[in-house]
Amino acid sequence: ITVVTWNVGTAMPPNDVTSLLHLNTGETNDVDMIAIGLQEVNSKINKRLKDALFTDQWSELFMDVLSPFHFILVSTVRMQGVILLVFAKYYHLPFLQDIQTDCTRTGLGGYWGNKGGVSVRLSIFGHMVCFLNCHLPAHLEKAEQRKEDFATILHMQQFEGPVANGILDHDLVFWFGDLNFRIESLDICFVKYAIDSNVLSQLWEKDQLNIAKSTWPVLRGFQEGPLNFPPTFKFDVGTNKYDSSAKKRKPAWTDRILWKIKSPSKGLGTGGHRPSQGLLSVSQLCYCSHMEYTISDHKPVAAIFAVQFASKVDKPLVEIYVADEWSRPEQAVVRYKMAAGFHRSSWDWIGLYRVGFRHPKDYVSYVWARSDDVERCLEKQLCAQVMFSEEALPKGNGEYILGYYSNTSSSIAGVTEPFQISLPRSEEGSSSTDSSGSSSEEDDSTLVLLAPKSRSPSPGKMKRHRSRSPSLAKFQGLILRPSSRDRGTSRSPSPQSRRSLPRNIPTIHLPQEELGPHGVNSKELGQAAESPEGSLLYQTVQEQGGLRHVSADSSLARADPRNLGLLPALRLEMIDQALGQRRESTDQGYYPCQRMSPTSPPGSGTSPKEGHSP
């Protein structure tokens, strides 16, 4: 497992991060997972709005760099400028389950997310692991505040499920980030002399975090490798020279990576057994800074760990069987077998991925994982079967894999080995208006919407994350409505938009009496659900200065979602106004911020109908 932390100081991403991720060494072949924690990513309002519509440029960069090495984005969480990304080799995806995220604000007493912590927790081969990326308060005299904020983060973050509800309940915790601990007592001249003379050990005993590990109960059990690299803060941007401004801040090891193994005596692990029993071991193979990156006043820090678990779950929840090659459309048959304990959903689907895909929603095409006798197959442990239509198959030659996406766990529960697809190209299949929309060349049509560093629309939300702040209830002035990406988990897959919006969309008028108090048909809106790409679909009609929404069962709403896609909205409301609207909407039977999707079924408990576009 590789762990990286970097305070990027609101800078734009560099052109190359291969050395930071150790991709130019033989170590990459042995790395199974990579966790990347960023702090101070540009979060000004115009930048945040753009990042809400598309993937932020930092995430785009890491996905682009890692996908050729078969790393897939497993989960990501962002809180203003604090981002955490977790990647894994694609063939490990079926063994990464129970993925959840959380975040805690501690800035301005819990009102602001410029400081705090974000986490991704998951089960890795049956063992609970948590990655925690923190940005703690700055300045030498704030050591006690850093302690309190870290304790708050540990207390506030709670996860769902029978095991590992708190961060320290996990079998293994990686804690990293800009922890902002400084060097006490020594003056700046001596610190710089020790750095220049490479006698860093003289600084270790005055490092606040090293002192705290032996005096603070909250840090008991956390381990860290030796600091054999120079302090990573504070540099003049664009140089490797320590702060030469008038402030002349003292160098410090602010950027750190620690880990903690859960004591075997604390409770039971997954499946009711004690998971580690002292057999879980962690060895740090590398702990270093990267001086070659000069875009920030911090240097990034990376560590590589060898983790040995006591046992390993090596049987996937879903086994998929496919031919070695699809050379004819009728060969596109997929057989799959689900484990006895697998929690199947009507919204599960099987995606066809090009080798080198970046995240679970980066599929070429998909088919619903359902058949008429699927329940009988599940009971008798038989194989169910589905088939890709000829229109959904990519033309030409390429290497692909299949992945079973579980809606219940919001993760891939089974994958195949790579196989070949070699279907002849046709004039219709190669045209830009082909409904299959599956060739990689057509993906470039999104470039006009994005910044130079950003190459594709945002991936669908993998798992809803919760945000907790210790004092948020005291803030009475303002409600920040979450963007559509943060308002719940997806119900079904939706094809990636590859074509522009039709120019001539028919205007659809609704009778005024059918609309709710906000111009929305309440019955149809109450029946609406989400698509996994998190996009809204509606047609607006200008009438008397107001906006009307088209009902979900109109001809426009039934259109192919490949051709449509509008942008989510960000709303600011005073709390009294918002509560008033909620009371009014409750009387009418709907919630005013609920989102409509033309591609979701009328009831959340029904299965997708045949021919129904997800």
Side-chain angles (χ1 to χ4, degrees):
I1 300 177
T2 296
V3 178
V4 174
T5 178
W6 192 4
N7 183 321
V8 299
T10 71
M12 292 288 291
N15 295 325
D16 186 14
V17 289
T18 54
S19 63
L20 173 61
L21 301 174
H22 295 253
L23 298 178
N24 51 0
T25 67
E27 297 167 330
T28 308
N29 297 328
D30 297 327
V31 173
D32 299 290
M33 298 185 67
I34 298 177
I36 302 168
L38 305 176
Q39 306 87 38
E40 290 194 25
V41 175
N42 190 341
S43 57
K44 292 182 179 179
I45 185 64
N46 59 333
K47 185 66 175 158
R48 287 293 284 125
L49 288 174
K50 183 177 180 181
D51 290 347
L53 305 180
F54 307 108
T55 311
D56 67 274
Q57 291 175 302
W58 282 96
S59 299
E60 284 280 338
L61 170 68
F62 287 115
M63 284 191 290
D64 286 345
V65 169
L66 287 171
S67 60
F69 294 89
H70 305 299
F71 283 100
I72 310 303
L73 181 64
V74 175
S75 183
T76 181
V77 56
R78 177 171 185 174
M79 180 184 67
Q80 284 184 219
V82 184
I83 297 180
L84 175 58
L85 305 120
V86 176
F87 294 85
K89 293 285 181 66
Y90 78 87
Y91 43 80
H92 293 317
L93 294 181
F95 309 104
L96 308 180
Q97 298 296 322
D98 197 10
I99 303 168
Q100 298 182 43
T101 64
D102 206 350
C103 59
T104 303
R105 301 179 181 91
T106 60
L108 295 180
Y111 298 129
W112 199 241
N114 64 320
K115 297 291 191 294
V118 297
S119 62
V120 171
R121 86 84 172 262
L122 69 167
S123 170
I124 302 176
F125 293 103
H127 300 269
M128 303 306 297
V129 178
C130 182
F131 298 94
L132 175 62
N133 173 29
C134 290
H135 192 187
L136 300 182
H139 305 304
L140 176 68
E141 66 278 7
K142 294 291 184 66
E144 196 65 26
Q145 183 65 47
R146 288 188 276 276
K147 169 188 172 182
E148 294 177 3
D149 283 7
F150 182 54
T152 297
I153 292 169
L154 294 180
H155 174 72
M156 297 295 295
Q157 297 209 1
Q158 296 291 317
F159 303 97
E160 300 173 356
V163 294
N165 300 116
I167 290 177
L168 298 183
D169 295 331
H170 290 75
D171 299 330
L172 177 60
V173 176
F174 290 101
W175 175 40
F176 50 98
D178 180 4
L179 308 184
N180 256 321
F181 289 98
R182 308 303 172 95
I183 296 174
E184 291 185 342
S185 304
L186 306 177
D187 61 44
I188 187 172
C189 294
F190 182 84
V191 171
K192 287 187 175 182
Y193 165 78
I195 295 171
D196 295 338
S197 304
N198 197 26
V199 286
L200 301 177
S201 58
Q202 297 189 27
L203 307 179
W204 293 346
E205 61 184 16
K206 298 299 182 181
D207 174 73
Q208 288 181 332
L209 182 54
N210 283 334
I211 298 172
K213 281 187 288 188
S214 60
T215 58
W216 292 359
V218 72
L219 294 181
R220 185 177 295 118
F222 278 96
Q223 304 177 59
E224 183 183 20
L227 299 169
N228 289 327
F229 51 89
T232 55
F233 173 85
K234 175 180 180 12
F235 290 87
D236 293 336
V237 175
T239 73
N240 286 327
K241 183 179 180 181
Y242 286 105
D243 187 14
S244 62
S245 68
K247 293 184 177 180
K248 292 193 181 301
R249 290 193 179 93
K250 188 164 54 175
W253 286 290
T254 57
D255 310 280
R256 311 289 278 271
I257 300 173
L258 297 88
W259 74 95
K260 180 178 181 179
I261 300 174
K262 179 183 174 183
S263 171
S265 61
K266 290 187 177 181
L268 300 178
T270 306
H273 66 281
R274 299 189 186 278
S276 302
Q277 291 293 349
L279 297 178
L280 171 61
S281 64
V282 177
S283 301
Q284 191 176 63
L285 307 179
C286 170
Y287 192 26
C288 61
S289 64
H290 287 266
M291 299 291 288
E292 66 269 26
Y293 295 97
T294 61
I295 62 172
S296 167
D297 55 354
H298 290 252
K299 299 298 182 185
V301 174
I304 301 178
F305 300 91
V307 181
Q308 182 176 5
F309 293 118
S311 61
K312 178 181 177 181
V313 176
D314 56 2
K315 186 175 178 60
L317 294 174
V318 178
E319 297 180 75
I320 309 175
Y321 307 95
V322 66
D324 293 335
E325 183 179 6
W326 291 353
S327 56
R328 301 187 308 276
E330 56 269 22
Q331 291 178 312
V333 176
V334 182
R335 298 168 62 240
Y336 59 95
K337 181 179 179 181
M338 293 171 283
F342 178 65
H343 296 289
R344 176 184 170 273
S345 166
S346 299
W347 301 103
D348 293 353
W349 45 276
I350 297 175
L352 178 65
Y353 298 93
R354 191 183 301 275
V355 169
F357 69 104
R358 309 190 315 165
H359 50 80
K361 299 297 178 68
D362 192 19
Y363 49 80
V364 173
S365 60
Y366 65 91
V367 62
W368 292 110
R370 67 184 189 274
S371 63
D372 296 336
D373 57 349
V374 68
E375 296 299 335
R376 180 179 64 85
C377 294
L378 185 58
E379 291 176 4
K380 297 185 177 182
Q381 289 295 289
L382 301 176
C383 287
Q385 179 175 302
V386 293
M387 185 174 183
F388 281 85
S389 64
E390 182 176 358
E391 293 78 13
L393 296 176
K395 305 303 185 288
N397 298 324
E399 201 172 26
Y400 297 83
I401 70 169
L402 292 168
Y404 185 105
Y405 187 86
S406 167
N407 182 73
T408 303
S409 62
S410 296
S411 62
I412 290 181
V415 296
T416 65
E417 292 291 332
F419 64 97
Q420 292 289 327
I421 294 182
S422 53
L423 298 176
R425 295 182 182 273
S426 62
E427 293 183 1
E428 295 180 358
S430 60
S431 67
S432 59
T433 57
D434 182 18
S435 62
S436 66
S438 58
S439 66
S440 60
E441 289 80 1
E442 294 181 4
D443 289 342
D444 294 338
S445 63
T446 61
L447 286 174
V448 296
L449 301 175
L450 308 177
K453 294 286 184 183
S454 187
R455 296 174 181 80
S456 74
S458 169
K461 190 71 176 173
M462 312 234 179
K463 191 76 172 177
R464 181 177 182 179
H465 72 268
R466 307 176 306 283
S467 177
R468 294 183 176 86
S469 302
S471 306
L472 198 56
K474 302 176 184 177
F475 190 55
Q476 299 293 332
L478 194 67
I479 285 182
L480 281 138
R481 285 286 172 87
S483 69
S484 62
R485 295 179 61 188
D486 294 329
R487 276 193 214 141
T489 54
S490 304
R491 294 306 310 272
S492 64
S494 68
Q496 298 172 349
S497 301
R498 291 189 173 92
R499 291 190 290 174
S500 59
L501 199 66
R503 293 183 178 179
N504 299 319
I505 299 179
T507 300
I508 303 175
H509 295 271
L510 293 178
Q512 185 66 36
E513 59 271 11
E514 294 184 10
L515 301 177
H518 298 279
V520 183
N521 187 307
S522 59
K523 291 183 179 179
E524 292 158 352
L525 185 54
Q527 296 171 349
E530 297 181 6
S531 71
E533 301 294 338
S535 59
L536 281 172
L537 178 63
Y538 52 81
Q539 169 69 24
T540 57
V541 180
Q542 188 74 28
E543 181 173 335
Q544 297 179 354
L547 292 177
R548 289 189 182 183
H549 293 264
V550 167
S551 65
D553 58 355
S554 68
S555 60
L556 173 63
R558 292 194 298 269
D560 189 338
R562 296 174 191 269
N563 305 330
L564 301 164
L566 298 178
L567 305 179
L570 177 68
R571 298 179 59 185
L572 300 177
E573 295 182 345
M574 297 306 295
I575 191 166
D576 293 335
Q577 175 187 356
L579 291 176
Q581 291 180 357
R582 290 182 185 178
R583 295 191 192 99
E584 183 180 6
S585 63
T586 302
D587 297 338
Q588 297 296 327
Y590 75 97
Y591 185 74
C593 284
Q594 187 172 354
R595 294 165 33 187
M596 297 196 334
S597 169
T599 60
S600 300
S604 61
T606 59
S607 302
K609 298 180 181 179
E610 292 294 336
H612 193 275
S613 176

